[in-house]
Amino acid sequence: MEATTDIRYRRVEAEYQSVRDTQNQVLDRIDGYEARMDRFEMALLGLTEAVAENRQLILENQQQIAENSRMLQAIIKHLEVPYEKPPMGFMRD
């Protein structure tokens, strides 16, 4: 048996362990990335649902405002209240 056999075995073992450690680091990073992506996807889904709910609430508010405007106009007309709509935009003094 050669004098360097033990050294060669330790070197092969060290190289093997180095490859394993590197693989473990890569796999750990992938797992971390997947976990972050899962959280991101859940957050994105939650935001998408919130946007859809808000869109519906905005539509309902617009309809309610339109109905209130029609009712107010009818009351103004019925009571014959003199009313001029204010001008749109800003007026210079």
Side-chain angles (χ1 to χ4, degrees), residues 48-61:
T48 302
E49 290 172 355
V51 167
E53 289 173 14
N54 285 341
R55 181 177 291 128
Q56 181 61 34
L57 291 172
I58 289 170
L59 179 61
E60 290 171 10
N61 284 342

Side-chain angles (χ1 to χ4, degrees), residues 8-25:
R8 290 174 199 259
Y9 284 138
R10 281 183 280 187
R11 185 182 73 191
V12 169
E13 183 180 353
E15 288 174 355
Y16 174 79
Q17 191 59 45
S18 174
V19 169
R20 282 290 192 187
D21 290 344
T22 302
Q23 288 173 340
N24 285 336
Q25 289 176 359

Side-chain angles (χ1 to χ4, degrees), residues 52-85:
E53 289 173 14
N54 285 341
R55 181 177 291 128
Q56 181 61 34
L57 291 172
I58 289 170
L59 179 61
E60 290 171 10
N61 284 342
Q62 288 172 335
Q63 291 170 345
Q64 189 64 50
I65 289 169
E67 182 179 345
N68 289 345
S69 292
R70 286 189 298 273
M71 290 170 58
L72 184 56
Q73 290 296 324
I75 291 169
I76 289 171
K77 184 177 179 181
H78 176 74
L79 297 177
E80 298 178 356
V81 175
Y83 175 76
E84 291 183 30
K85 288 185 179 180

